[in-house]
Amino acid sequence: MSDNNEPNSVNHPINTLAEALESGRFLRMRRLLASLHPAETAHLLESLPPAERKVTWPIINPDLRGDVLSYLGEDVQAALIQDMDTADLVNATEDLAPDDVADILQNLPNHITKEVLKVMDSQHRRRVEAILAFDEDTAGGLMNTDVVTVRSDITIEVVLRYLRLLGELPENTDSLYVVDHKDHYLGTLTLSQVVSRSRSLTVSQVMSHQIEAIPAHTDESEVALRFEKHDLISAPVVDKNNHLLGRITIDDVVDVIRDDAEHTMLSMAGLGEDEDTFAPVQRSVHRRSIWLGVNLLTAFLASWVIGLFDTTIEKQVALAILMPIVASMGGVAGSQTLTLVIRSMALGQLNDKNQKWLLHKELAVGAINGLIWALAIALVTYLWFHSIELGVLIGSAIVINLIAAALAGVTIPLALKRFGIDPALSGGVLLTTVTDVVGFVAFLGFATLFIV
C-alpha cells in the first residue's frame, strides 16, 4: 500500500518541474525529463502555461522530441512546431512510425510539409505519402505501412527463417499478412501459429480468413467499432482492389476512442477535443465567443417569446416564478434523449429501420414522465400559491414540454446528421431553444387563455 503522504504519481513530476523552472535548475529539469516516458513528458508540457513550455521544450533530448510530439494534442503540438526549423523537425520525426509522422505533418502548412518530405529518405517518404493520401479520420489516415507479408505457398519453416533474417518486427505485430504475388490480401498468420504449428505445414494450411480487411476510406469511428466487436489487436487495410496498403493497430484505435469521447463532451460546449487548457487568452476568447454568440441568439428568441406575454405576466406574478421550472424540466428531459441518440449514432446502432421505434419509445417515456412530474409539480404549486388553476396550468405545460423534448431529442440529431452537421456540436443549443420556446408558449399561452 502506498504512503498517503506521497505526492500523487501524476502531479509529482509537474510540481518538481515547476520548482526547477522557478529556481532555474535546468540540469535537474533535464534529468527529470530524461527519466520519463515520452507520453508522460507530453502530459507535463500540456500542463504548463505557454511561456514555461517554450523554456522546457529545448531541454528535452532531441532524440525524444519526435515521440513527445506524437503524444501531444494538436494545439500544443502546433505551437511547439512553430519554433522548430525544418531540419529539427526532420530529425525529430525520422525515427517515428510513418503513421505518427503523417499525424504531425497533417497539421502543418503545405509548404512546411513539402519541405519536410523533400529531405526524408525515399523509402520513408513513400510510406508517409501513402498515408497522407487519405483523410486523417479514415482507415487510410490511421494505418501504418510498416507490415510483414508472406505468401500462402511457403512453409512455416521458411516463414521462421524469414523472420530471423528481419531481426526485428514492427511494433504491435501480432500477425503476418498473407498476400498473393500481386499483393492482394488473402488472410492472416498469427505469430502464435508460426511458433506452435508444424514447420512442414504451408501457410495456406495454417492461415486464418476470419479477419476481414478494412477498406482505406472507412471512417475511423467504424474502424474503432470493428476493433471493439472483434477484439482485434491489429487489422489489415486495403484499397478498392483489395491490395494490402498497411495495418491499423490497437494503440491508434485507443486514440480514436479517446478523441471521440472528448469530442462529444467538449463539442457540447463549443470546444474542440484538442483544446489547449493553457492556450493564450486571445485564442481562447475567439473560440468561445463564437459559441456564446450562438447561444445569445437563442436566448433572445426565448426572451422574445416571453415578451409576447408580458401583459399576462404582469397580471399574474406567480407565472414569472414558475417559468424556470417548465423550461428546466424540458431541458433536462430533452438532454437525456439527445445524449442517448447521439451515443447510439456513434455506436452505429441507429438505422432507418429502428428510428421510428426509438421515436415512439421516447415519446412514451416523455409522456409518462410528464404525467408523473406534472402531478408532483401541480401539487407543490397548489400548496405554494393556493391556486388549483395554476397547478393544472403548470402540470399541462410540463406534459407538453416533456413530450416536445423527447421529440426534439430524437429528431434534431437525426436531422443534423442528414445535413452533414455534427449533432454533438449543435444539438444541445437547438434542443434548449425548442424546450424553452415550447415550454414558455404552452405555460404562458394557457395562462392567457384560462387564468388572466
Side-chain angles (χ1 to χ4, degrees):
M1 185 177 291
S2 61
D3 188 348
N4 289 334
N5 293 325
E6 281 188 27
N8 182 277
S9 59
V10 174
N11 291 328
H12 181 45
I14 297 174
N15 294 334
T16 304
L17 185 65
E19 291 170 4
L21 272 168
E22 282 184 18
S23 59
R25 300 168 68 179
F26 296 112
L27 182 59
R28 185 182 182 191
M29 289 174 61
R30 192 183 302 276
R31 287 174 181 167
L32 170 65
L33 295 168
S35 68
L36 298 175
H37 186 277
E40 294 174 323
T41 303
H43 175 73
L44 282 178
L45 287 170
E46 291 180 334
S47 304
L48 293 173
E52 281 82 349
R53 281 182 199 148
K54 287 189 176 182
V55 174
T56 305
W57 179 244
I59 299 173
I60 298 171
N61 186 333
D63 295 334
L64 299 176
R65 287 179 192 167
D67 289 315
V68 174
L69 282 173
S70 68
Y71 286 106
L72 289 170
E74 288 183 15
D75 277 5
V76 180
Q77 186 185 90
L80 293 174
I81 287 176
Q82 279 181 349
D83 298 326
M84 298 175 67
D85 57 36
T86 304
D88 289 338
L89 195 53
V90 171
N91 290 333
T93 57
E94 63 181 350
D95 293 326
L96 292 180
D99 58 330
D100 289 332
V101 178
D103 286 341
I104 293 172
L105 295 184
Q106 280 166 340
N107 300 316
L108 297 178
N110 286 335
H111 68 280
I112 297 179
T113 299
K114 289 177 181 177
E115 285 183 30
V116 174
L117 289 172
K118 192 185 298 182
V119 295
M120 286 181 179
D121 67 76
S122 58
Q123 184 181 25
H124 197 44
R125 181 171 63 250
R126 281 197 302 272
R127 289 179 172 177
V128 173
E129 286 176 337
I131 299 171
L132 289 174
F134 299 96
D135 292 336
E136 62 179 322
D137 57 354
T138 63
L142 280 176
M143 72 178 179
N144 190 332
T145 56
D146 196 4
V147 297
V148 180
T149 60
V150 294
R151 300 282 176 81
S152 61
D153 55 350
I154 64 175
T155 63
I156 298 299
E157 172 65 33
V158 175
V159 173
L160 284 167
R161 273 189 269 150
Y162 173 53
L163 294 179
R164 290 192 195 100
L165 282 173
L166 286 177
E168 186 177 354
L169 294 176
E171 285 186 21
N172 298 316
T173 296
D174 66 315
S175 299
L176 312 179
Y177 296 119
V178 185
V179 296
D180 62 17
H181 66 287
K182 291 185 177 180
D183 276 340
H184 292 112
Y185 171 73
L186 300 176
T188 59
L189 179 66
T190 64
L191 293 181
S192 62
Q193 290 172 321
V194 172
V195 299
S196 63
R197 303 301 293 272
S198 171
R199 297 185 179 188
S200 62
L201 293 174
T202 63
V203 170
S204 61
Q205 293 174 301
V206 179
M207 63 185 278
S208 169
H209 298 278
Q210 292 184 346
I211 298 179
E212 294 183 13
I214 301 175
H217 291 286
T218 304
D219 185 83
E220 62 181 9
S221 297
E222 175 61 31
V223 173
L225 282 174
R226 190 175 297 198
F227 267 71
E228 179 191 356
K229 288 179 181 177
H230 300 286
D231 292 328
L232 301 177
I233 296 175
S234 67
V237 178
V238 295
D239 64 13
K240 61 182 179 181
N241 296 316
N242 200 42
H243 290 115
L244 182 68
L245 299 176
R247 67 191 176 113
I248 296 174
T249 51
I250 187 64
D251 57 319
D252 295 314
V253 175
V254 169
D255 290 340
V256 171
I257 294 170
R258 182 199 63 197
D259 290 344
D260 280 351
E262 290 181 351
H263 171 75
T264 300
M265 178 180 69
L266 294 174
S267 288
M268 291 183 176
L271 302 174
E273 64 266 28
D274 290 297
E275 183 83 13
D276 180 9
T277 305
F278 298 97
V281 171
Q282 185 177 357
R283 191 190 309 166
S284 296
V285 167
H286 172 70
R287 288 182 174 179
R288 300 185 198 183
S289 290
I290 296 172
W291 199 242
L292 288 171
V294 172
N295 277 274
L296 180 61
L297 292 175
T298 63
F300 273 129
L301 177 59
S303 297
W304 175 76
V305 170
I306 295 171
L308 296 175
F309 301 95
D310 56 347
T311 305
T312 304
I313 296 171
E314 287 174 6
K315 293 179 181 178
Q316 183 64 266
V317 178
L319 297 174
I321 298 172
L322 296 172
M323 276 195 310
I325 297 175
V326 179
S328 176
M329 290 295 288
V332 171
S335 295
Q336 291 172 339
T337 302
L338 180 73
T339 303
L340 182 70
V341 172
I342 290 176
R343 173 181 173 273
S344 299
M345 292 167 69
L347 294 176
Q349 296 173 341
L350 212 53
N351 53 56
D352 292 338
K353 293 183 179 179
N354 59 24
Q355 288 174 9
K356 188 177 291 186
W357 187 96
L358 180 62
L359 176 59
H360 290 160
K361 174 243 182 179
E362 288 301 317
L363 287 173
V365 170
I368 294 170
N369 268 332
L371 289 171
I372 292 171
W373 291 105
L375 290 172
I377 294 169
L379 178 61
V380 172
T381 301
Y382 170 71
L383 295 175
W384 190 354
F385 295 99
H386 307 289
S387 171
I388 295 176
E389 292 86 352
L390 204 54
V392 173
L393 170 66
I394 193 170
S396 302
I398 290 290
V399 173
I400 291 171
N401 206 18
L402 263 63
I403 293 174
L407 178 63
V410 174
T411 57
I412 285 175
L414 292 175
L416 289 173
K417 186 178 181 183
R418 196 158 287 188
F419 284 106
I421 302 171
D422 185 358
L425 183 61
S426 308
V429 175
L430 293 176
L431 174 72
T432 302
T433 304
V434 169
T435 54
D436 283 355
V437 170
V438 171
F440 292 147
V441 168
F443 186 49
L444 298 175
F446 285 158
T448 302
L449 292 173
F450 301 113
I451 294 182
V452 179

